[in-house]
Amino acid sequence: KQWYQRRVRGDNQGEDKLVHFPVDNEEIVWEESHVPFEDHIFLHKYISLFPDITHRFMETVVSALQNNPDLTLEKKKQIIWSYLNYFSYHADKLKDDDEDVIQV
């Protein structure tokens, strides 16, 4: 009840966090409003940084990241870099031995 009374009086500290109705798309400024849309969906450029044997796996990861609107661009890059660090650390285990690879 107190929140409602403060809201009516207009002395609410979180005034800028409230969405006023009717909603105006220009009114809401999201955290990533300065990041171009292309940066969120064209993440395949990072696949070339990975070892060849992991490209298929990373295509799947990148496709999932591209389709996720809830993650920020920095979080998407953080996920990609964590995979890159993991595969770089375990590079000795990623040898492409022809006798161990099953051709489908």
Side-chain angles (χ1 to χ4, degrees), residues 10-82:
D11 60 352
N12 188 4
Q13 296 295 327
E15 183 78 25
D16 58 334
K17 295 180 182 179
L18 295 176
V19 177
H20 304 285
F21 292 97
V23 175
D24 180 15
N25 290 340
E26 299 298 323
E27 178 183 334
I28 303 172
V29 178
W30 299 109
E31 179 181 353
E32 294 227 328
S33 61
H34 66 282
V35 178
F37 177 72
E38 294 83 18
D39 290 350
H40 279 277
I41 60 168
F42 294 126
L43 299 173
H44 277 85
K45 59 187 171 190
Y46 298 111
I47 293 176
S48 62
L49 302 173
F50 289 86
D52 290 338
I53 198 164
T54 63
H55 280 193
R56 257 193 200 164
F57 173 75
M58 286 311 300
E59 285 177 4
T60 306
V61 171
V62 166
S63 293
L65 291 174
Q66 289 175 162
N67 292 322
N68 190 336
D70 299 323
L71 294 178
T72 63
L73 181 61
E74 288 306 313
K75 181 64 178 171
K76 290 177 182 184
K77 286 182 180 180
Q78 180 185 8
I79 292 169
I80 291 172
W81 296 136
S82 66

